[in-house]
Amino acid sequence: MKKPIIIGNWKTNPETLQEAKKNILAIEKKVKDKKQNYLLAVPDAYISTLKDIKSKAIIGAENISGLELGAYTGTTTASMLKSAGALFTILGHSEVRTQGETDEIINKKIKQSLASGLFVVICVGESIRDKEAKYLKVVEEQLLKSLAGVNRELFSKIIIAYEPIWAIGAKNPANTHECFEMAIAIRRALASFATIDYAKKVSIIYGGAVTEENSASFITDGGVDGLLVGRASLNPTSFSKIITNCYAK
Ligand code: PGA
């Protein structure tokens, strides 16, 4: 049985490093099993401190700038985040895409991150579900453009997060049937791109309105290997329940 991949995405929270430390310690208190590790994508400014806290959390970033070293005021490279202690980064989150990030930029960021030794969580997802199922094509295209030219030997360092935009920050998540359908479509697109053996190395997770109540159903019925959790990851009680519920499946 594969371990579930549970990732918290803290976005621009919490307000202080002190609170961030407190959050991790509170999660640690509630998730007692040493084997139940989890990932936290946190603000850049907190990475180097949080990675030194004795915990089961694997600390990562929420984005990279996509720039090389040089005269670019106010930016952070993948290599800097890696040296600060990040082990992974989220890329292509819809909140970043709405600021103008294209699949081509995401592709460049994926290559930079992998080259710096970070593993990557690539977010894909449609904005609406239409009756003609064009949303499957939308996600497939995001995926293939993002992965163009990426060395398939590095596929084990890639996690695809299916995050339907209509479920992010919303009241209701996708249902497990919708999640399952997309997980299959993603796996199929990966196989057509790089053969099934390589496609199998990529983990697929779900994100969007995940709660402690619905979390485990995505693992059991949604065809995914884990979850990307926004709001509920900021509440140590909810997030630790998500972790323990998913490990119990
Ligand atoms: P949410 O966010 O869980 O608050 O819906 C998910 C995400 O943005 O990754």
Side-chain angles (χ1 to χ4, degrees):
M1 180 64 191
K2 244 170 133 181
K3 267 186 169 194
I5 302 166
I6 310 300
I7 309 177
N9 175 11
W10 280 1
K11 307 189 180 182
T12 308
N13 295 292
E15 193 166 16
T16 65
L17 181 57
Q18 207 51 36
E19 280 176 80
K21 286 196 237 174
K22 246 174 72 190
N23 269 2
I24 294 192
L25 294 175
I27 297 167
E28 285 298 304
K29 253 199 182 149
K30 291 170 197 289
V31 181
K32 297 211 165 60
D33 188 333
K34 286 196 177 62
K35 292 190 283 295
Q36 298 189 347
N37 52 9
Y38 53 92
L39 296 87
L40 288 176
V42 303
D44 291 355
Y46 298 164
I47 290 172
S48 61
T49 307
L50 296 187
K51 71 114 181 12
D52 285 338
I53 293 181
K54 204 172 162 300
S55 79
K56 297 181 285 297
I58 295 164
I59 302 296
E62 300 171 7
N63 192 12
I64 66 162
S65 68
L67 297 168
E68 310 286 347
L69 297 181
Y72 308 105
T73 302
T75 59
T76 309
T77 66
S79 53
M80 289 169 186
L81 293 166
K82 172 79 170 134
S83 89
L87 292 185
F88 72 98
T89 185
I90 295 176
L91 293 173
H93 193 282
S94 65
E95 287 156 11
V96 184
R97 288 182 191 256
T98 53
Q99 293 162 32
E101 188 175 69
T102 61
D103 291 320
E104 289 69 27
I105 297 172
I106 294 164
N107 176 258
K108 190 172 155 208
K109 290 184 176 185
I110 292 169
K111 289 174 181 163
Q112 285 177 346
S113 301
L114 291 171
S116 300
L118 296 173
F119 65 93
V120 292
V121 181
I122 307 166
C123 300
V124 292
E126 77 283 2
S127 51
I128 48 157
R129 284 232 156 197
D130 55 303
K131 287 202 183 67
E132 301 81 40
K134 286 194 196 121
Y135 56 87
L136 293 172
K137 209 87 219 109
V138 168
V139 170
E140 190 179 315
E141 207 175 294
Q142 286 175 345
L143 199 62
L144 299 185
K145 282 189 179 163
S146 308
L147 291 176
V150 172
N151 181 354
R152 47 188 81 176
E153 297 303 333
L154 298 174
F155 272 23
S156 58
K157 304 196 179 326
I158 294 175
I159 296 170
I160 303 293
Y162 169 49
E163 292 213 306
I165 296 169
W166 47 268
I168 296 173
K171 189 160 167 275
N172 297 316
N175 63 41
T176 52
H177 174 77
E178 290 165 330
C179 180
F180 191 84
E181 177 193 40
M182 191 59 87
I184 301 273
I186 290 172
R187 189 78 68 202
R188 196 175 293 148
L190 289 169
S192 73
F193 177 72
T195 77
I196 187 69
D197 288 340
Y198 285 103
K200 279 192 198 151
K201 292 183 195 288
V202 177
S203 298
I204 301 174
I205 64 175
Y206 168 81
V210 171
T211 61
E212 58 189 80
E213 289 81 18
N214 64 34
S215 54
S217 67
F218 291 103
I219 310 286
T220 53
D221 305 322
V224 290
D225 307 308
L227 299 166
L228 182 54
V229 186
R231 285 159 292 173
S233 70
L234 286 160
N235 177 327
T237 305
S238 303
F239 192 55
S240 54
K241 283 204 178 125
I242 291 172
I243 296 166
T244 50
N245 288 350
C246 290
Y247 269 93
K249 293 295 161 194

